[in-house]
Amino acid sequence: MAPFATPPIRPFAIELDRSALTLRPEGPVLTRRLSDLAGLFLDTAAWRAAVEDGDPVVYTVSSSPVPESPAELPQSITTIRPGDVGGELNFTKGHIHPRPEGEIYLGLDGEGGLLMFDGTDHVFLELSRDRVGYIPPGWAHRSINTGEADYSFLAVYPGGAGHDYGWVLEHGFGARVYAGSAGPELRPFGHPRPEPAPR
Ligand SMILES: [Fe+2]
């Protein structure tokens, strides 16, 4: 039998607070500011200007106490603030699982979607409230707020899958999502990279 986290977790219920969009009991809460997303937005000048102009919070991740350990199945709620950088809509850093394992997302509130990339093909799923998105093993994934209010979703993922953010810096997502006059626009690209971020 695979080793469990220490100490072992007993069965318990997790309450999803739909108004606060948090999990109870709550585990770690992660806050990502724009400066944490260096090298990801295409318009580096706009990114730098916004970082210098207050470095806003782009998203938060509220986790349950289930640890990211092999054989466990942690959950988290991510809330992405609305906005854009040079027209490119706010997103999460995005990652691929070093151990190729699947994941599910459940849209909770607001308007947004899930961009996935396997190194060749990209897929964008609109993922509003009560839609479940499936991320197959081997697909990098990033969420995007396409609306004018906060966008929240629940993620459930294998605790041993891991998070590789460097893969995204290297490979991108095959497309970017912009604010268009008639709604969000998915713009595929060859592979332009932003300038390296200043250290
Ligand atoms: Fe993931």
Side-chain angles (χ1 to χ4, degrees), residues 23-181:
L23 298 170
R24 288 200 202 107
E26 189 172 56
V29 178
L30 176 74
T31 299
R32 297 266 198 220
R33 292 183 174 274
L34 198 54
S35 56
D36 296 315
L37 277 64
L40 296 173
F41 288 97
L42 185 60
D43 189 338
T44 305
W47 171 82
R48 188 177 295 117
V51 168
E52 289 171 359
D53 185 26
D55 193 14
V57 171
V58 179
Y59 62 98
T60 59
V61 185
S62 165
S63 302
S64 87
V66 177
E68 290 186 351
S69 304
E72 299 285 2
L73 204 55
Q75 321 86 39
S76 61
I77 291 178
T78 299
T79 298
I80 311 175
R81 306 277 168 82
D84 68 274
V85 176
E88 191 174 0
L89 292 168
N90 277 0
F91 53 55
T92 59
K93 289 179 77 166
H95 62 266
I96 193 166
H97 298 155
R99 258 178 80 151
E101 298 191 86
E103 180 167 0
I104 59 168
Y105 281 11
L106 167 66
L108 293 176
D109 199 35
E111 296 171 47
L114 175 56
L115 180 61
M116 293 179 275
F117 184 52
D118 71 352
T120 303
D121 296 327
H122 64 267
V123 173
F124 181 74
L125 296 181
E126 188 273 331
L127 209 68
S128 55
R129 179 172 172 147
D130 292 344
R131 275 171 64 90
V132 175
Y134 180 59
I135 302 159
W139 288 74
H141 37 291
R142 159 180 287 169
S143 291
I144 298 156
N145 186 335
T146 60
E148 296 181 353
D150 285 355
Y151 169 60
S152 298
F153 63 92
L154 173 78
V156 183
Y157 55 100
H163 300 80
D164 183 350
Y165 299 102
W167 191 94
V168 172
L169 286 168
E170 180 71 20
H171 299 277
F173 267 93
R176 295 178 179 276
V177 184
Y178 286 82
S181 53

